[in-house]
């Protein structure tokens, strides 16, 4: 259905094609398509007697909820009854096999990403260093900036022309999908392709971004491709995967994929499980915990095998150390009251800087949306601009610091082409500490900052300059048309001010500067992302030091508490900015002043149990509703009663099969031979049956169709007097798409209305009742 007004969904300029998001200039949420007053005389209408308020002419948003609910109709029930033990066993084996495949493929992609980045970026930096050693400074800059520009342009072109949905981190999109938001292109094969190669190109181009966030999106895309039974567009389909053609199983697979992405990015299998539980998934159960844990364990095995293989030198510049393990276990961990005070200070600083970071990212994304809306050429131009600025900072800022004499007690070479002691423009026996941070891959820069027993190798002025540069570059880089993660920029900036605080407490503290850097990174992560348990475990798995557990827990709790008093976490802000109708785990306080019947809007389109084909066709043509209540009336029941709920997609299949009759009679058992449950299974991205596919002539329009076999006979219902807050919590916890509101008194129509996720959105509720005060 076409929009009627300029009330638009917005996606911060990264246009997501063919998924239902509408481009526009206003950053607003989408509205539902089912409670809008369609005034078609042919349709029977049941008016909501509790509230006559209707949103007439509002823009209809195509984003709806996923069908997580188990639909209990006659066809599906008959299918389960007829399944043999071998088919049930096959289904269970396939679920575990998919977990295995997701872990293997995600692990291999993680290895490929790291090997590609280390080699592409490594050879680029080696070329720059060689030219600097020959004192060909201008050629070195041209080579460095030129290679960065070429890599950045390639990454931007991939995003702008092939898969705009691949831009950014991808974690907010995965989080929205697992919340139940039906926006498929974010997990399409083209998005997967661009996410992998665009991330490699973007990180290699020297941007202050990470490949860790995109790995979460990559894992989810891999899982989605398997869950859809492949891709018809790319001729990759497997009919034997029909058991997984439903949103419930796909959601479980995508949850496993998201956890696998974290495990592959950080070599943190337990952290991956906890990340999916704490941040990504809105719905969880114990059986899913087992499969997710199994998936991340497979990822860890794959990564370990390739790290061992690459340690022999067969992977180019990707050698010992591999991936991003930052081992700080060699430092002695013993702390006093002064150390705890320093950690508390780190937590406060992390909370303040983190909330400010989120605020500025939000402003930058809104500004970039104006540029990105103008088309692919402007997106690429923005990428080029940020790339040149990053190259100027990375190559130019090291010139402002003085050269330092190499320490005399070193066991490693100084200066060297890599590590903590890059010579840059310095003479023999001296090194440039800022160049060792800027002219390195982001992973190696973090490794340098986390290095232990290096208390004075980075000057205070160097740390100030690097922190300011990374903080600002991280903000202006996120939002351009490349795959970009937030973990690495945040860890880099946090490690810098962690070392600064360590230097300030150097006279009274016993903690190593590398440990202060780690705690600073933890505080900034807590201040931006507002995660606690999963971040704590990820950091401990990253650094291989369990003795730091109490201090990491403390700094995360303090930073999150401080930051929560200012704004939301960065991923929550981006979800809101993109216009996704996200259901929060809590209900807004003003919802307690309303009841469910207050927000449903009439008239309501409903069908009889045996309905005329013309009525159904007209309803499908003139409305965008995805669910219709079905009401049995005499002579099929003693009084009007709610028979159940029927989905638009199921109606289309039934009409396509043309199982009609000339009289209003119930269908017999022969319908089970005419249709199977898999005929009503959900197709992959954009491949479902559409209204335009129907071909019904005038004679068939006058016939009748029995809807009972495809009706969900046990939809979730709430009484109209239930508080809106309670209804919202139930809606999210159960994972619903439609919630039927029934009257409290007898003698009225058997259904008052239907609630979807859009009816719980603040814009809808406060639009109906503007006198209510939103809680800030």
């Amino acid at each position: 259905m076409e929009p009627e007004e300029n009330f638009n969904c917005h996606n911060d300029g990264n246009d997501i094609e063919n998924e239902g998001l509408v481009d526009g200039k206003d950053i607003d949420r989408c509205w539902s398509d089912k409670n809008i007053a369609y005034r078609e005389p042919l349709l029977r209408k049941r008016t909501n007697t509790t509230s006559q308020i209707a949103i007439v002419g509002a823009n209809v948003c195509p984003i709806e909820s996923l069908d997580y609910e188990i639909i209990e109709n006659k066809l599906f029930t008959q299918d389960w009854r007829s399944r043999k033990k071998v088919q049930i066993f096959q289904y269970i084996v396939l679920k575990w096999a998919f977990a295995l495949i997701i872990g293997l493929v995600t692990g291999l992609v993680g290895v490929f990403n790291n090997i590609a980045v280390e080699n592409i970026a490594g050879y680029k930096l080696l070329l720059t260093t060689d030219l600097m050693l020959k004192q060909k400074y201008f050629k070195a800059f041209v080579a460095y900036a030129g290679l960065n520009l070429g890599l950045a342009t390639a990454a931007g072109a991939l995003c702008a022309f092939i898969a705009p949905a691949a831009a950014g981190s991808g974690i907010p999109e995965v989080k929205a999908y697992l919340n139940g938001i039906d926006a498929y292109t974010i997990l399409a094969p083209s998005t997967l392709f661009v996410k992998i190669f665009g991330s490699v190109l973007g990180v290699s181009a020297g941007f202050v971004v990470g490949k860790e966030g995109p790995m979460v999106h990559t894992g989810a895309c891999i899982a989605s491709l398997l869950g859809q039974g492949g891709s018809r567009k790319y001729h990759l389909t497997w009919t034997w995967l029909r058991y997984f053609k439903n949103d419930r199983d796909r959601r479980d697979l995508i949850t496993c994929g998201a956890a696998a992405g974290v495990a592959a990015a950080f070599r943190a299998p337990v952290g991956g499980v906890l990340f999916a539980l704490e941040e990504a998934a809105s719905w969880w159960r114990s059986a899913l915990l087992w499969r997710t844990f199994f998936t991340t364990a497979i990822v860890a095995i794959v990564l370990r095998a390739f790290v061992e293989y690459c340690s022999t030198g067969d992977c180019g510049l990707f050698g010992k150390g591999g991936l991003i393990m930052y081992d700080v276990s060699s430092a002695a961990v013993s702390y006093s009251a002064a150390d705890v005070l320093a950690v508390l200070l780190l937590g406060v600083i992390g909370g303040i800087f983190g909330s400010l970071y989120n605020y500025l990212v939000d402003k930058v994304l809104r500004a970039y949306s104006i540029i990105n809306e103008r088309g692919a050429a402007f997106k690429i131009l923005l990428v080029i601009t940020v790339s040149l600025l990053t190259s100027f900072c990375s190559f130019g800022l090291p010139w402002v610091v003085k050269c330092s004499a190499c320490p005399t007690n070193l066991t490693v070479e100084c200066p060297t082409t890599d590590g903590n002691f890059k010579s840059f423009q310095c003479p023999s026996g001296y090194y440039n500490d800022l160049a060792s941070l800027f002219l390195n891959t982001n992973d190696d820069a973090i490794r340098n900052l986390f290095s232990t027993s290096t208390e004075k190798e980075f000057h205070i002025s160097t740390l100030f300059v690097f922190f300011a540069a990374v903080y600002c570059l991280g903000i202006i880089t996120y939002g351009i048309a490349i795959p970009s993660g937030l973990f690495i920029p945040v860890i880099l900036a946090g490690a810098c001010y962690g070392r600064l605080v360590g230097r300030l407490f150097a006279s009274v503290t016993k903690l190593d500067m590398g440990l202060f850097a780690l705690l600073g990174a933890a505080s900034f992560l807590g201040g931006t992302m507002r995660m606690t348990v999963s971040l704590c475990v990820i950091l401990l798995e990253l650094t291989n030091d369990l003795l730091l557990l109490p201090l990491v827990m403390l700094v995360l709790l303090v930073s999150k508490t401080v930051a929560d008093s200012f704004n939301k976490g960065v991923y929550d802000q981006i979800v809101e900015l993109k216009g996704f109708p996200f259901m929060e785990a809590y209900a807004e306080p003003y919802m307690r002043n309303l009841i469910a019947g207050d927000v449903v809007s009439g008239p309501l389109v409903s069908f009889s149990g045996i309905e005329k084909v013309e009525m159904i066709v007209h309803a499908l043509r003139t409305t965008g509703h995805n669910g219709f209540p079905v009401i049995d009336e005499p002579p099929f029941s003693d009084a009007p009663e709610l028979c159940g709920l029927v989905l638009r997609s199921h109606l289309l299949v039934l009409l396509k099969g043309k199982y009609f009759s000339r009289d209003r009679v119930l269908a017999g058992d022969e319908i089970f031979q005419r249709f199977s449950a898999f005929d009503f299974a959900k197709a992959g991205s954009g491949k479902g049956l559409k209204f335009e596919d129907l071909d019904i002539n005038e004679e068939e329009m006058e016939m009748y169709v029995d809807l009972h076999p495809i009706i969900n006979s046990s939809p979730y219902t709430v009484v109209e007097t239930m508080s809106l807050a309670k209804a919202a919590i139930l809606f999210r916890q159960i994972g619903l798409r439609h919630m039927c509101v029934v009257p409290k008194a007898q003698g009225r129509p058997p259904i008052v209305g239907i609630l979807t996720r859009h009816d719980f959105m603040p814009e809808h509720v406060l639009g109906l009742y503007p006198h209510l005060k939103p809680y800030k």
Side-chain angles (χ1 to χ4, degrees):
M1 184 166 180
E2 294 298 325
E4 299 173 11
E5 302 284 348
N6 288 325
F7 187 86
N8 294 321
C9 293
H10 194 81
N11 61 340
D12 73 21
N14 297 327
D15 306 86
I16 304 180
E17 298 174 341
N18 302 321
E19 71 168 54
L21 288 186
V22 183
D23 297 327
K25 296 182 179 179
D26 300 320
I27 300 175
D28 290 303
R29 290 188 186 273
C30 294
W31 295 100
S32 174
D33 59 351
K34 59 109 212 84
N35 275 330
I36 296 173
Y38 294 99
R39 308 199 177 277
E40 298 293 340
L42 184 62
L43 297 175
R44 286 190 308 278
K45 301 168 184 173
R46 306 181 191 277
T47 304
N48 174 11
T49 57
T50 304
S51 173
Q52 296 292 332
I53 301 173
I55 311 172
V56 181
N59 180 31
V60 179
C61 175
I63 300 179
E64 267 287 352
S65 297
L66 295 166
D67 295 306
Y68 289 162
E69 181 183 355
I70 297 177
I71 296 177
E72 296 179 343
N73 61 33
K74 292 182 179 179
L75 275 170
F76 285 11
T77 303
Q78 177 66 20
D79 174 66
W80 275 105
R81 287 173 180 170
S82 61
R83 286 191 184 182
K84 301 176 181 178
K85 289 184 178 180
V86 66
Q87 292 175 309
I88 297 174
F89 178 75
Q90 180 188 20
Y91 171 67
I92 295 172
V93 170
L94 281 175
K95 287 199 295 186
W96 287 93
F98 276 168
L100 173 65
I101 295 171
I102 292 169
L104 285 173
V105 177
T106 307
L108 291 173
V109 171
V111 171
F112 167 77
N113 279 2
N114 280 274
I115 292 176
V117 168
E118 291 293 328
N119 282 280
I120 296 173
Y123 284 114
K124 175 192 70 178
L125 294 170
L126 283 176
L127 174 61
T128 306
T129 303
D130 288 342
L131 292 172
M132 291 295 294
L133 290 174
K134 297 176 183 178
Q135 297 185 350
K136 297 179 180 180
Y137 301 137
F138 181 74
K139 285 186 177 181
F141 172 72
V142 171
Y144 178 74
L147 290 172
N148 281 347
L149 186 61
L151 294 168
T153 305
L158 284 176
C159 281
F161 292 110
I162 298 179
S169 168
I171 292 178
E173 287 83 353
V174 174
K175 183 175 179 178
Y177 185 91
L178 294 178
N179 187 256
I181 294 171
D182 189 0
Y184 279 113
T185 303
I186 60 176
L187 301 174
S190 58
T191 305
L192 173 61
F193 172 81
V194 174
K195 206 73 180 184
I196 295 173
F197 292 97
S199 177
V200 169
L201 293 170
V203 175
S204 301
F207 286 116
V208 184
V209 297
K211 53 187 178 295
E212 288 67 34
M215 273 304 304
V216 176
H217 197 176
T218 298
C221 288
I222 293 169
S224 177
L225 183 62
L226 288 172
Q228 290 184 25
S231 169
R232 293 184 187 177
K233 181 178 179 181
Y234 299 100
H235 305 290
L236 299 171
T237 55
W238 303 280
T239 55
W240 51 275
L241 301 182
R242 59 188 184 276
Y243 295 124
F244 296 89
K245 289 185 176 292
N246 62 84
D247 288 329
R248 188 182 180 91
D249 283 317
R250 288 176 186 169
R251 173 197 58 195
D252 291 352
L253 291 174
I254 290 168
T255 303
C256 292
V262 175
F266 294 108
R267 284 175 64 185
V270 179
V273 175
L274 294 175
F275 175 86
L277 173 61
E278 181 180 7
E279 181 65 14
S282 298
W283 194 88
W284 199 266
R285 68 182 191 277
S286 58
L288 181 59
L289 178 67
W290 278 100
R291 274 191 285 151
T292 307
F293 187 70
F294 173 69
T295 304
T296 58
I298 297 299
V299 173
I301 293 171
V302 172
L303 297 181
R304 184 63 186 175
F306 273 89
V307 167
E308 291 293 333
Y309 172 76
C310 290
S311 64
T312 61
D314 294 332
C315 300
L317 298 179
F318 182 83
K320 293 183 178 179
L323 294 174
I324 56 168
M325 174 66 76
Y326 311 125
D327 197 340
V328 299
S329 59
S330 59
V333 181
S334 61
Y335 41 90
S336 60
D339 299 321
V340 175
L341 181 62
V343 170
L344 291 174
L345 178 61
L346 275 176
V348 174
I349 294 173
I352 295 173
F353 278 145
S355 59
L356 178 61
Y357 193 89
N358 292 357
Y359 172 80
L360 294 175
V361 165
D362 181 75
K363 297 300 181 184
V364 168
L365 288 177
R366 292 173 186 270
Y368 282 175
S369 67
I370 300 173
I371 301 173
N372 288 334
E373 281 172 358
R374 297 188 176 185
F378 284 88
K379 292 181 181 181
I380 297 174
L381 183 61
L382 182 59
V383 171
I384 291 173
T385 303
V386 176
S387 174
L388 291 174
L389 178 61
T390 303
S391 296
F392 275 110
C393 289
S394 300
F395 194 88
L397 289 178
W399 291 89
V400 305
V401 302
K402 295 181 179 180
C403 295
S404 303
C406 290
T408 57
N409 58 345
L410 287 179
T411 58
V412 296
E413 181 184 355
C414 176
T416 183
T417 56
D418 55 9
N420 290 19
F421 305 102
K422 286 211 168 196
S423 64
F424 198 60
Q425 88 288 11
C426 298
S428 179
Y430 290 81
Y431 72 98
N432 189 313
D433 56 348
L434 188 54
S436 68
L437 296 176
F438 271 122
L439 295 181
N440 249 327
T441 61
N442 292 331
D443 289 350
D444 285 337
I446 294 173
R447 193 170 287 110
N448 292 345
L449 288 169
F450 281 7
S451 60
T452 56
S453 304
T454 56
E455 296 175 359
K456 295 186 178 180
E457 289 174 7
F458 298 101
H459 296 285
I460 291 180
S461 59
T462 295
L463 295 174
F464 268 115
V465 171
F466 188 69
F467 169 73
V470 168
Y471 193 90
C472 295
L473 287 174
I475 291 170
I476 66 172
T477 304
Y478 193 84
I480 63 175
I482 63 168
S484 52
L486 285 170
F487 274 97
I488 292 302
V490 169
I491 292 175
L492 273 173
C496 273
Y497 71 70
R499 271 191 173 262
L500 281 170
V501 172
R503 294 292 291 273
L504 295 176
F505 281 79
S507 59
V508 295
T509 185
K510 297 179 181 178
L511 287 178
D512 189 277
M513 292 299 108
L515 300 184
F516 267 108
L518 169 63
L519 294 171
S523 70
F524 202 7
L525 284 168
T528 54
M529 300 178 184
R530 314 295 163 82
M531 294 180 282
T532 52
V533 179
S534 57
L535 277 180
C536 182
V537 174
I538 288 172
L539 288 171
L540 293 178
E541 289 185 287
L542 262 179
T543 54
N544 193 29
D545 195 350
L546 192 60
L547 296 176
L548 273 178
L549 176 63
L551 295 182
V552 174
M553 293 173 65
L554 179 62
V555 77
L556 282 171
L557 288 171
V558 172
S559 62
K560 174 177 165 51
T561 302
V562 171
D564 278 341
S565 62
F566 295 101
N567 51 30
K568 294 181 178 180
V570 64
Y571 296 135
D572 293 321
Q573 285 189 172
I574 296 170
V575 165
E576 184 175 350
L577 186 65
K578 286 179 176 289
F580 291 126
F582 190 85
M583 290 289 295
E584 299 287 354
Y586 57 88
E588 298 291 350
Y590 58 78
M591 289 185 176
R592 300 188 182 279
N593 300 323
L594 299 171
I595 60 174
D598 289 336
V599 296
V600 294
S601 303
L604 180 69
V605 179
S606 63
F607 296 130
S608 294
I610 301 176
E611 187 59 88
K612 197 173 185 179
V613 173
E614 182 183 11
M615 300 288 288
I616 300 175
V617 170
H618 192 77
L620 295 178
R621 179 190 296 118
T622 58
T623 72
H625 301 12
N626 283 301
F628 300 87
V630 178
I631 298 173
D632 267 343
E633 297 174 333
F636 299 101
S637 62
D638 295 334
E641 63 179 23
L642 179 63
C643 183
L645 194 73
V646 63
L647 296 180
R648 166 184 285 265
S649 59
H650 292 181
L651 285 172
L652 290 172
V653 174
L654 192 63
L655 294 179
K656 184 71 173 178
K658 297 188 177 183
Y659 189 69
F660 307 146
S661 62
R662 297 189 180 276
D663 302 314
R664 295 190 66 186
V665 294
L666 294 171
D669 291 339
E670 60 271 14
I671 194 172
F672 298 126
Q673 283 75 44
R674 186 74 172 270
F675 295 97
S676 70
F678 294 120
D679 293 331
F680 297 89
K682 191 162 186 175
S685 303
K687 299 299 181 183
L689 192 63
K690 296 180 175 58
F691 178 80
E692 293 75 16
D693 299 326
L694 298 181
D695 181 21
I696 300 177
N697 57 40
E698 291 296 329
E699 182 181 359
E700 292 168 335
M701 284 285 193
E702 300 300 319
M703 301 177 76
Y704 294 89
V705 58
D706 184 7
L707 301 180
H708 290 93
I710 63 169
I711 294 172
N712 181 10
S713 58
S714 58
Y716 285 91
T717 61
V718 297
V719 69
E720 62 183 335
T721 54
M722 176 181 285
S723 74
L724 189 62
K726 188 175 181 180
I729 293 172
L730 285 174
F731 191 97
R732 184 185 189 273
Q733 288 181 343
I734 301 174
L736 297 181
R737 181 176 187 178
H738 303 101
M739 176 181 279
C740 298
V741 181
V742 297
K744 186 173 184 178
Q746 296 181 351
R748 295 170 53 193
I751 183 168
V752 173
I754 298 177
L755 294 175
T756 68
R757 65 173 52 242
H758 300 280
D759 296 306
F760 297 104
M761 294 297 105
E763 291 83 354
H764 176 62
V765 178
L766 297 176
L768 293 175
Y769 302 96
H771 64 279
L772 294 175
K773 300 297 182 183
Y775 178 78
K776 296 292 185 184

